[in-house]
Amino acid sequence: QVQLVESGGGLVQPGGSLRLSCAASGVTLDYYAVAWFRQAPGQEREGVSCVSSGDFSTVLADAAKGRFAISRDNAKNTVYLQMDSLKPEDTAVYYCAVGPKGWICQDPIFPLFFEYWGRGTQVTVSS
């Protein structure tokens, strides 16, 4: 049974940083594409970043470029999202998701391609 558990969310002031973690069980993440999505109240879920299987190439949504970075720790079976220079508009529930085995991430990052999802972690950027 695949389980994804996100952590690291919280309340942060504008300009601050957070590192989100996505810990997996029941699946070996390095064989799969893994992505971060976010969903703000009243808005559709949007892709933030994705790391591919195999070559571990990454994709960042335009809103994340220059501020966010995705990375893997295969030994810990965990994917991270480092978020710097946070803005109030980054406020959302952040989800990690596992995509197809052997898949290379594509831009834009569509939720439809991702099969397994965590329950999310809340990120609130406010002064």
Side-chain angles (χ1 to χ4, degrees):
Q1 181 180 2
V2 176
Q3 286 192 322
L4 304 175
V5 179
E6 301 97 335
S7 62
L11 173 64
V12 64
Q13 293 186 343
S17 297
L18 286 173
R19 189 177 79 155
L20 306 183
S21 299
C22 173
S25 59
V27 63
T28 302
L29 289 183
D30 49 334
Y31 296 131
Y32 295 83
V34 181
W36 285 95
F37 294 84
R38 67 185 182 185
Q39 188 165 20
Q43 297 188 18
E44 292 187 356
R45 191 167 296 189
E46 65 173 348
V48 176
S49 188
C50 182
V51 57
S52 303
S53 62
D55 67 358
F56 300 155
S57 59
T58 61
V59 170
L60 280 171
D62 287 344
K65 288 178 180 175
R67 302 187 299 125
F68 294 3
I70 191 170
S71 62
R72 291 178 180 266
D73 185 334
N74 292 335
K76 295 183 178 180
N77 210 28
T78 299
V79 171
Y80 303 98
L81 184 69
Q82 177 67 40
M83 305 189 296
D84 299 320
S85 302
L86 283 161
K87 305 174 182 180
E89 51 263 44
D90 295 317
T91 295
V93 178
Y94 284 70
Y95 301 89
C96 67
V98 173
K101 191 173 185 178
W103 198 58
I104 303 299
C105 297
Q106 301 173 19
D107 185 14
I109 308 163
F110 286 122
L112 180 65
F113 297 126
F114 291 81
E115 181 176 2
Y116 300 106
W117 292 80
R119 293 188 175 184
T121 185
Q122 176 70 47
V123 171
T124 303
V125 185
S126 175
S127 55

